[in-house]
Amino acid sequence: MKQQKKFWIRENQSIGIWTFLGCIGACLQLSLFRSSVEDIWRNFYYVEQYYMEISNTAFGRFLSYSRVFYSTMAVYVLILSILLFHNLSRSKTKEWIASLPLKQKDIFWYKFRQGRVAYTLPL
Amino acid sequence: MIKVKIENLFKGYGKTKVLEGVSFEVRKGSIHGLIGPNGSGKTTLIKCLTGIYQPDQGSICLDEEEIYDNPAAKMKMGYVADSNDYYPNYRIKEMVKIYEAAYPTFSKEDFDYYNEAMGLNVKKMIKQLSKGQKMRLALILNLAIHPDILILDEPMEGIDVIAKQQLFDMIINEVEEREMTVLITSHHLEEIENFCDSITMIHEGKLTGTGSLDEVKEKATKLQIVFPEGLPEGFAGWKGVLNFSNIGSIYTVIWEDFDEEKKELLYECGAAFVEEIPISLEEIFLYMNKEGREQ
């Protein structure tokens, strides 16, 4: 079972896409239900005083949106980094990559691309 | 002119020694075959040659330049592995971009020209290709970089007869037009015999023979001998006799370092007729390595 799980993390080619779409979805959802987000935000960071002062201004709303966006993106980047690290730590550099005319340090970037998650990144 | 020079190469994995003191040379513009039984160290040798592995001892030079961690030398080299595990989620056209970025000599036009014959759809993902199609892709990608030396590890596995012929023609054209050097390993010894100018044989990590095809073939002689009274006593133990079989009184013998002196000896020992007949590379490979195993 553990083995299967590992395989899934390493081999599921669309995991990057789904994580990304999930995070975008979460952003949209959180933005649509702003009031509940505000509650979460307020309770989580104990900044009621400050928040109450600025929440009625345009800047305050922008800040609350951007906080949601950035914190969601931070979670996305964290998940992606863990998966990528997982990928890199377990993937042996493919032989054709090692045969390319590159210095050993540059081979890392080609190895980076062989991570299945990394395939969602532009070439 | 020497293109590749391998001197006293040692390579092992942990305590296991895979290559022990291998030395040979490959001439520019030649097609050199590397043969040996499974587990003899061919692929390890190829990986040292392509700079994937660092030799434990000894040197591998391409145009007198060390290959390991030397992009300038590796730029002159094309490598087709026995399993071409390109990024499975990349499309062929994206792999072409990677090769274009890695090799300044890569020609997209030439890739398209070769691909006309191979008929690969560039929009297809690598994972959608069959084993044979992946091999074709690897071959034409590496031909399109116009390498000085093309290293092929079991390149014709899984390729149909028509594509095989087309690929051989493409390789031979490059050899004729640009004096490209080719180093090829294969278990199909007939292919090696028809395709190569020179060969190297390795067995259990050690060199058992190297040179032009004719030189290697001269190492052993195939004889048809008629012994009307049967074999001389102790014939199987005679020095140089690698193998023999018979139909009635006609004996077929594979003999290492056969010469006129031995021929006279055969007549003295009751042979009525001794004739040399053509020997194939497969027979040399079979009996030379068999002898190695028995020793």
Side-chain angles (χ1 to χ4, degrees), chain B residues 202-271:
Chain B
I202 54 171
H203 181 67
E204 291 177 355
K206 290 175 187 147
L207 198 89
T208 54
T210 187
S212 72
L213 210 55
D214 291 336
E215 279 167 0
V216 173
K217 278 188 170 185
E218 275 170 15
K219 276 183 165 262
T221 312
K222 190 175 180 180
L223 301 163
Q224 242 176 17
I225 311 170
V226 179
F227 284 114
E229 307 295 326
L231 274 178
E233 209 172 301
F235 182 77
W238 283 21
K239 197 184 169 197
V241 174
L242 300 177
N243 182 269
F244 66 90
S245 59
N246 71 303
I247 302 168
S249 59
I250 303 170
Y251 288 79
T252 306
V253 182
I254 310 288
W255 204 312
E256 193 181 8
D257 298 327
F258 185 77
D259 54 21
E260 280 301 310
E261 206 177 298
K262 284 164 189 159
K263 196 172 185 178
E264 279 170 27
L265 184 71
L266 282 170
Y267 281 118
E268 282 170 22
C269 293

Side-chain angles (χ1 to χ4, degrees), chain B residues 154-172:
Chain B
E154 304 281 348
M156 299 302 167
E157 290 297 313
I159 293 184
D160 64 79
V161 186
I162 300 164
K164 197 185 282 186
Q165 196 52 52
Q166 285 171 327
L167 286 165
F168 272 134
D169 290 344
M170 285 175 191
I171 294 169
I172 289 167

Side-chain angles (χ1 to χ4, degrees), chain B residues 185-202:
Chain B
T185 73
S186 176
H187 286 295
H188 302 286
L189 296 183
E190 262 181 46
E191 264 172 23
I192 294 276
E193 199 169 356
N194 295 333
F195 192 57
C196 295
D197 311 311
S198 54
I199 59 164
T200 292
M201 286 196 285
I202 54 171

Side-chain angles (χ1 to χ4, degrees), chain A residues 3-16:
Chain A
Q3 207 49 36
Q4 269 186 343
K5 205 175 170 186
K6 271 187 183 176
F7 176 80
W8 185 83
I9 294 169
R10 193 168 67 247
E11 296 297 319
N12 192 330
Q13 52 170 290
S14 55
I15 196 160

Side-chain angles (χ1 to χ4, degrees), chain B residues 2 35 51 70-71 73 89-90 96 127 136-137 156 159 171 196 201 209 253 263 267 275-276 287:
Chain B
I2 305 301
I35 57 174
N70 182 358
N89 298 304
Y90 275 44
V96 171
K127 66 182 176 187
R136 286 190 217 184
L137 172 65
M156 299 302 167
I159 293 184
I171 294 169
C196 295
M201 286 196 285
V253 182
K263 196 172 185 178
Y267 281 118
E275 188 191 25
E276 285 183 32
Y287 298 117

Side-chain angles (χ1 to χ4, degrees), chain A residues 5-6 20 30 58 76 89 98 114:
Chain A
K5 205 175 170 186
K6 271 187 183 176
F20 182 72
L30 289 170
Y76 167 64
S89 61
Q114 83 188 357

Side-chain angles (χ1 to χ4, degrees), chain B residues 24-221:
Chain B
F24 68 94
E25 293 172 345
V26 181
R27 298 188 72 79
K28 189 184 176 188
S30 69
I31 303 178
H32 192 91
L34 185 62
I35 57 174
N38 294 331
S40 57
K42 296 188 299 293
T43 301
T44 304
L45 178 56
I46 292 271
K47 285 175 186 172
C48 290
L49 252 169
T50 45
I52 297 170
Y53 292 163
Q54 187 173 20
D56 294 339
Q57 205 184 312
S59 69
I60 305 175
C61 294
L62 174 67
D63 289 333
E64 296 176 359
E65 273 184 292
E66 278 287 342
I67 292 171
Y68 185 74
D69 203 14
N70 182 358
K74 283 163 104 178
M75 215 165 269
K76 301 178 201 166
M77 186 185 283
Y79 170 53
V80 178
D82 51 351
S83 61
N84 295 288
D85 43 3
Y86 292 136
Y87 303 132
N89 298 304
Y90 275 44
R91 296 179 193 283
I92 293 178
K93 59 183 179 184
E94 289 166 335
M95 281 310 306
V96 171
K97 277 187 194 171
I98 284 191
Y99 266 75
E100 261 181 324
Y103 293 92
T105 51
F106 185 89
S107 160
K108 173 81 170 48
E109 290 73 37
D110 287 348
F111 174 83
D112 292 338
Y113 170 74
Y114 290 133
N115 195 28
E116 264 176 43
M118 291 297 114
L120 297 170
N121 180 354
V122 291
K123 287 178 185 164
K124 267 195 171 180
M125 280 184 170
I126 301 297
K127 66 182 176 187
Q128 292 172 314
L129 303 178
S130 70
K131 189 185 167 194
Q133 284 174 318
K134 278 184 201 164
M135 189 57 87
R136 286 190 217 184
L137 172 65
L139 276 160
I140 59 173
L141 275 173
N142 281 283
L143 281 172
I145 65 175
H146 299 300
D148 281 1
I149 177 165
L150 182 64
I151 297 174
L152 309 165
D153 191 4
E154 304 281 348
M156 299 302 167
E157 290 297 313
I159 293 184
D160 64 79
V161 186
I162 300 164
K164 197 185 282 186
Q165 196 52 52
Q166 285 171 327
L167 286 165
F168 272 134
D169 290 344
M170 285 175 191
I171 294 169
I172 289 167
N173 270 348
E174 287 282 310
V175 172
E176 282 176 354
E177 284 174 15
R178 298 192 306 106
E179 274 200 289
M180 180 177 77
T181 309
V182 180
L183 197 135
I184 181 171
T185 73
S186 176
H187 286 295
H188 302 286
L189 296 183
E190 262 181 46
E191 264 172 23
I192 294 276
E193 199 169 356
N194 295 333
F195 192 57
C196 295
D197 311 311
S198 54
I199 59 164
T200 292
M201 286 196 285
I202 54 171
H203 181 67
E204 291 177 355
K206 290 175 187 147
L207 198 89
T208 54
T210 187
S212 72
L213 210 55
D214 291 336
E215 279 167 0
V216 173
K217 278 188 170 185
E218 275 170 15
K219 276 183 165 262
T221 312

